């Protein structure tokens, strides 16, 4: 590749996550988000799932050697401007990915995926300590929802008042920033971003739309896309929140259960 063509390439974002055969979450949601936001998406597959609008019918973790080989193949040749992690089902995978990210000098967004939208467990209980002690310390931004906060820290949040306490508990494990996602609370969709000193409350209207499959993956990938473009964390998170709010508003029915958000809402893709 010539120097001129390399200079014209978009920012590069790598997702390390599982596959969603239904196309609403996981690697598929990540790559759609990255395309919509003008970055070049690349992927390291950690698991294959049999998944649809009704839930996860099966999951098969890839060998650590396959995950490491994918990561090195992409990063050593193509390079990367930001990394995002999603489903890492075992302690061994969590520790391997943490080691890889720790050796890559770019921003990272850790979505500590524990349970799917349908309530299916996506993280072995034995892996929780590895997330706390290995993965969170290498995160530029960690993006737990309230269930994941409880799983990781034991802090139960039932109102906005508890979000600051939740953030403090997650920050104690070492991420630079934490975004506590308050989507499970009632009222507006409120998220709380902090690095322990600076604080940002992000609010958006709550839409009466049950088709929200893939919101967590989409938000984390959107943040990583902003960071890859050189945006500061608060700016990247605010832009990601705006994007995912539009995607939720455009969420559509597929199959007999919970449909996906509309990753192409800015293109009018859902109207086709």
């Amino acid at each position: 590749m010539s120097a001129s063509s390399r200079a014209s390439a978009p920012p590069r974002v790598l997702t390390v996550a599982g596959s969603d055969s239904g196309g609403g979450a996981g690697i598929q949601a990540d790559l759609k988000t990255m395309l919509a936001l003008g970055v070049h998406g690349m992927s390291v597959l950690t698991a294959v799932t049999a998944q649809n609008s009704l839930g996860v019918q099966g999951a098969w973790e890839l060998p650590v050697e396959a995950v490491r080989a994918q990561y090195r193949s992409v990063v050593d040749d193509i390079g990367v401007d930001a990394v995002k992690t999603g489903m890492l089902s075992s302690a061994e995978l969590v520790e391997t990915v943490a080691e890889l990210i720790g050796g890559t000098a770019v921003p990272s967004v850790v979505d500590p995926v524990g349970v799917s939208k349908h309530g299916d467990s996506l993280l072995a209980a034995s892996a929780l300590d590895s997330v706390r002690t290995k993965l969170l310390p290498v995160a530029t931004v960690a993006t737990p929802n309230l269930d994941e906060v409880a799983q990781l820290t034991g802090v139960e949040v039932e109102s906005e008042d508890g979000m600051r306490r939740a953030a403090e508990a997650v920050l104690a494990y070492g991420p630079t920033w934490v975004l506590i996602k308050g989507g499970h609370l009632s009222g507006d969709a409120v998220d709380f971003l902090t690095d322990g000193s600076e604080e940002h409350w992000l609010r958006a209207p709550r839409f009466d739309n049950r088709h929200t499959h893939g919101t967590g993956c989409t938000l984390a990938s959107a943040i990583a896309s902003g960071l890859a473009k050189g945006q500061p964390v608060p700016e990247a998170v605010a832009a990601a929140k705006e994007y995912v709010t539009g995607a939720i508003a455009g969420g559509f029915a597929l199959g007999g259960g919970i449909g996906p958000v509309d990753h192409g809402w800015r293109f009018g893709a859902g109207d086709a």
Side-chain angles (χ1 to χ4, degrees):
M1 182 182 288
S2 69
S4 60
S5 59
R6 184 178 294 277
S8 64
R12 302 151 297 177
V13 182
L14 177 61
T15 169
V16 184
S19 169
D20 172 4
S21 54
I27 289 278
Q28 287 83 349
D30 297 339
L31 295 176
K32 290 174 187 178
T33 299
M34 292 168 192
L35 178 65
L37 296 179
V39 300
H40 176 68
M42 307 172 291
S43 61
V44 170
L45 206 63
T46 62
V48 175
T49 68
Q51 188 172 167
N52 55 28
S53 70
L54 300 173
V56 179
Q57 291 79 43
W60 298 267
E61 182 181 308
L62 267 68
V64 164
E65 298 77 22
V67 172
R68 187 185 298 277
Q70 290 174 83
Y71 191 99
R72 291 265 61 94
S73 177
V74 170
V75 173
D76 294 348
D77 172 50
I78 299 172
V80 65
D81 297 301
V83 179
K84 174 261 176 185
T85 72
M87 179 184 175
L88 305 172
S89 50
S90 70
E92 191 179 17
L93 263 183
V94 170
E95 291 172 15
T96 298
V97 171
E99 175 195 339
L100 290 166
I101 291 174
T104 308
V106 298
S108 59
V109 180
V110 169
D111 184 15
V113 177
V115 180
S116 78
K117 181 71 67 179
H118 306 88
D120 302 291
S121 178
L122 299 175
L123 181 71
S126 58
L128 280 172
D129 197 52
S130 297
V131 172
R132 296 183 191 106
T133 62
K134 303 291 186 182
L135 190 59
L136 288 177
V138 300
T140 306
V141 187
T143 63
N145 63 31
L146 299 184
D147 288 341
E148 290 155 356
V149 167
Q151 196 176 32
L152 288 166
T153 71
V155 174
E156 302 276 353
V157 178
E158 297 179 354
S159 68
E160 281 186 35
D161 294 340
M163 293 178 77
R164 186 177 282 109
R165 185 164 54 93
E168 290 171 356
V170 177
L171 283 173
Y173 290 115
T176 307
W177 291 81
V178 62
L179 178 69
I180 304 295
K181 298 181 295 190
H184 294 174
L185 298 176
S186 58
D188 286 349
V190 179
D191 302 329
F192 177 60
L193 174 70
T194 182
D195 63 353
S197 56
E198 194 176 323
E199 295 185 348
H200 302 269
W201 291 91
L202 298 98
R203 297 179 182 275
R206 185 178 299 276
F207 297 103
D208 184 19
N209 184 358
R210 65 191 288 261
H211 302 301
T212 56
H213 186 49
T215 48
C217 306
T218 300
L219 180 64
S221 293
I223 295 170
S225 297
L227 296 178
K229 295 174 182 177
Q231 295 173 354
V233 169
E235 184 181 329
V237 171
K241 172 82 168 177
E242 180 186 2
Y243 170 74
V244 81
T245 298
I248 291 170
F252 50 90
L254 278 182
I258 299 172
V261 300
D262 180 8
H263 296 97
W265 66 273
R266 284 180 172 162
F267 312 139
D271 301 329

